[in-house]
């Protein structure tokens, strides 16, 4: 072998082996050669030799080699595999800079390495759906938050649904998830139940969509369904979601109060009993379990949505608020912050958009509740959540707290 004077980088630390240090650098240089100078087989063999040396090399030597190889467009697989599983400060050089790493490399690293590696990976540019899904599958809040903050990362719907579920207990994830373009209204509507006030406003502003287009395309279908006497449960359920009318006419005819306003007035006068609350739910076109969830919400915004969707006046909202003995003023006489927020929610929403939110809640919280799903909610069977439909998953998440979990 020809001799050459060592470069400054090849001078070994005091007490080290100068030959080993120089050879590591030169083998890394060989791996870094362009394809015009070295073919893929030669690069692979050199990489294998470098791996064997790095197993016994010092931390500084491994880090120096990683820094040298990180910018490469082609990196021997065995070498990449080893360095990606090294200490975080070494692996991070490749995770952050190496564009040649494949999804398979990143997924394997996420599975084999630790949380620090996954956190570094969460900040990598251009993460694909398969990589982000793997990173999020560990349920590590700091990693998930980093992925959500990464605007260049792409998320699958499976990953988004997993984070929606996790956000029920890890509520700090909510504002980051709400900024993601992959989040769909179904996920946002169910998150509403545990989000903070500012996040609730974001959900209503961004996801409370109109049903106008659906109403236009289905306009003549209502007559068809009526001719069939509404016998088809599939079309009947869908048309109930689409139609413009919110109040239940059949319930109004049977009600001892004669109408929704009268039931609200009775509640304001005598207090909100279970019987009156059930009647208000039926008159509003929702099931009692949906009504109970709305009336029992501590934030109060769902009550504003119910009133706006059913065409109740703001005075009726005030009556319902008083019927539940909720405070209207602070100790100093100023408007109570919660009550003020509820009134703002009422004012900001159009009727059609409020109906969309209310009907989705009713669809997911009542129509989806089969005996099997109720047992799953009570037993906490969230591991099998993929077996359920979107409204069933929403019901499982939104009602979990109501079953003592």
């Amino acid at each position: 072998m020809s001799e050459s004077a060592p470069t400054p980088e090849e001078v070994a630390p005091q007490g080290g082996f100068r030959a080993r240090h120089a050879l590591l650098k030169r083998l890394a240089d060989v791996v870094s050669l362009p394809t015009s100078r070295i073919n893929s087989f030669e690069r692979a063999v050199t990489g294998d030799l470098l791996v064997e040396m790095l197993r016994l090399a010092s931390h500084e030597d491994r880090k120096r080699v990683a820094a040298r190889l990180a910018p490469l467009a082609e990196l021997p697989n065995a070498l990449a595999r080893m360095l990606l599983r090294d200490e975080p400060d070494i692996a991070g050089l490749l995770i952050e800079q190496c564009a040649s790493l494949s999804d398979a490399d990143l997924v394997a690293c996420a599975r084999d390495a630790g949380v620090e590696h996954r956190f570094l990976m969460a900040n990598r540019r251009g993460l694909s759906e398969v990589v982000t899904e793997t990173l999020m599958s560990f349920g590590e809040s700091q990693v998930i938050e980093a992925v959500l903050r990464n605007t260049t990362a792409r998320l699958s719907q499976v990953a988004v649904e997993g984070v929606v579920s996790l956000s029920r207990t890890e509520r700090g994830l909510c504002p980051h998830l709400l900024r993601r373009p992959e989040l769909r209204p179904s996920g946002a509507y169910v998150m509403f139940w545990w989000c903070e006030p500012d996040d609730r406003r974001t959900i209503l502003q961004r996801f409370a969509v109109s049903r106008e287009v659906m109403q236009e395309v289905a306009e003549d279908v209502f007559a068809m369904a009526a001719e069939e006497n509404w016998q088809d449960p599939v079309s009947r359920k869908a048309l109930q979601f689409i139609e413009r009318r919110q109040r239940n006419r059949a319930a109004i005819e049977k009600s001892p109060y004669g109408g929704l306003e009268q039931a609200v007035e009775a509640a304001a006068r005598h207090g909100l009993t279970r019987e009156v609350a059930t009647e208000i739910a039926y008159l509003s076109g929702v099931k009692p379990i949906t009504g109970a969830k709305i009336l029992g919400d501590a934030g109060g915004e769902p009550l504003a949505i119910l009133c706006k969707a059913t065409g109740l006046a703001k005075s009726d909202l005030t009556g319902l608020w008083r019927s539940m003995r909720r405070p209207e003023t602070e100790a100093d006489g100023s408007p109570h912050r919660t009550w003020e927020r509820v009134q703002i929610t009422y004012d900001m929403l159009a009727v059609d958009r409020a109906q969309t939110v209310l009907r989705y809640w009713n669809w997911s919280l009542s129509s989806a509740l089969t005996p099997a799903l109720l047992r799953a909610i009570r037993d906490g069977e969230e591991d099998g959540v993929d077996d359920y439909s979107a409204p069933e998953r929403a019901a499982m998440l939104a009602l979990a707290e109501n079953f003592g979990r």
Side-chain angles (χ1 to χ4, degrees):
M1 180 177 290
S2 60
E3 295 184 3
S4 61
T7 65
E9 292 80 6
E10 294 174 341
V11 177
Q14 188 173 3
F17 294 101
R18 189 162 64 98
R20 178 194 296 184
H21 184 73
L23 188 55
L24 280 169
K25 180 185 182 301
R26 295 188 188 183
L27 289 177
D29 289 342
V30 171
V31 170
S32 305
L33 288 173
T35 52
S36 60
R37 295 280 309 279
I38 185 174
N39 64 43
S40 58
F41 291 161
E42 291 172 316
R43 195 190 309 275
V45 170
T46 306
D48 291 341
L49 181 57
L50 193 52
V51 166
E52 291 305 311
M53 292 193 67
L54 287 173
R55 292 186 194 281
L56 300 174
S58 68
H59 181 280
E60 284 305 312
D61 277 339
R62 300 197 310 276
K63 188 172 184 178
R64 193 176 292 110
V65 170
R68 178 72 178 89
L69 301 180
L72 295 187
E74 184 180 346
L75 191 61
N77 185 261
L79 196 53
R81 210 163 48 237
M82 178 186 183
L83 291 173
L84 283 173
R85 288 156 182 76
D86 209 319
E87 297 294 324
D89 64 321
I90 295 173
L93 294 170
L94 266 67
I95 291 172
E96 294 169 3
Q97 303 175 37
C98 189
S100 65
L101 296 179
S102 66
D103 284 354
D105 294 328
L106 295 170
V107 167
C109 175
R111 289 174 177 166
D112 297 343
V115 62
E116 292 183 48
H117 291 72
R118 289 189 283 274
F119 181 77
L120 290 169
M121 201 179 301
N123 292 284
R124 179 182 167 91
R125 288 188 60 80
L127 294 176
S128 71
E129 291 88 347
V130 68
V131 177
T132 55
E133 192 170 316
T134 302
L135 290 172
M136 291 176 160
S137 68
F138 291 87
E140 297 155 341
S141 296
Q142 68 270 40
V143 175
I144 293 173
E145 181 176 331
V147 172
L148 295 177
R149 287 176 176 272
N150 187 343
T151 56
T152 67
R154 302 190 304 275
L155 307 184
S156 69
Q157 283 306 301
V158 171
V160 171
E161 289 170 7
V163 182
V164 168
S165 178
L166 184 62
S167 71
R168 182 163 59 88
T169 52
E170 300 289 341
R171 299 188 178 180
L173 297 174
C174 291
H176 306 296
L177 183 53
L178 288 173
R179 295 188 189 101
R180 295 298 311 191
E182 298 91 347
L183 182 65
R184 295 294 175 259
S186 58
Y189 295 158
V190 72
M191 283 174 61
F192 188 93
W193 294 111
W194 54 79
C195 276
E196 296 297 324
D198 288 346
D199 294 334
R200 285 184 163 191
R201 175 178 288 200
T202 298
I203 290 170
L204 295 177
Q205 289 174 333
R206 181 178 171 196
F207 295 99
V209 297
S210 169
R211 302 182 324 286
E212 185 177 349
V213 174
M214 286 190 286
Q215 289 164 353
E216 288 177 0
V217 300
E219 188 173 359
D220 61 330
V221 181
F222 285 93
M224 296 179 197
E227 288 174 7
E228 297 170 353
N229 202 25
W230 301 95
Q231 293 181 23
D232 175 26
V234 177
S235 60
R236 183 175 69 245
K237 183 178 177 181
L239 289 171
Q240 285 172 345
F241 184 87
I242 295 171
E243 70 172 331
R244 290 180 172 87
R245 187 181 67 249
Q246 178 62 49
R247 300 191 190 189
N248 186 334
R249 289 181 180 176
I252 292 171
E253 292 173 1
K254 298 176 183 177
S255 175
Y257 297 100
L260 182 56
E261 282 82 1
Q262 290 78 5
V264 170
E265 184 182 346
R269 237 185 359 253
H270 306 296
L272 188 67
T273 63
R274 180 188 295 269
E275 291 73 20
V276 176
T278 300
E279 193 66 25
I280 288 173
Y282 280 130
L283 293 168
S284 300
V286 299
K287 298 292 177 64
I289 193 168
T290 308
K293 185 74 176 173
I294 290 170
L295 295 170
D297 183 84
E301 294 96 337
L303 186 65
I305 293 169
L306 174 71
C307 289
K308 196 57 171 281
T310 55
L312 286 171
K314 205 167 184 179
S315 58
D316 297 315
L317 173 62
T318 303
L320 270 177
W321 191 255
R322 289 172 180 169
S323 75
M324 296 186 292
R325 308 293 188 263
R326 300 291 295 271
E328 295 179 60
T329 58
E330 302 282 1
D332 61 1
S334 61
H336 195 279
R337 283 174 296 178
T338 304
W339 173 230
E340 194 171 33
R341 189 171 64 245
V342 170
Q343 295 179 88
I344 291 172
T345 301
Y346 178 91
D347 291 335
M348 69 180 276
L349 270 181
V351 172
D352 184 47
R353 295 172 188 268
Q355 287 179 352
T356 300
V357 178
L358 181 61
R359 291 181 189 187
Y360 189 88
W361 284 344
N362 192 55
W363 179 32
S364 62
L365 297 183
S366 59
S367 301
L369 287 180
T370 62
L373 181 60
L374 282 170
R375 284 195 299 273
I377 294 171
R378 290 191 182 99
D379 298 340
E381 295 178 7
E382 291 184 18
D383 290 342
V385 73
D386 287 341
D387 298 333
Y388 300 103
S389 67
E392 287 174 332
R393 288 194 296 269
M396 178 173 282
L397 291 170
L399 292 177
E401 295 176 351
N402 299 81
F403 285 88
R405 292 184 52 207

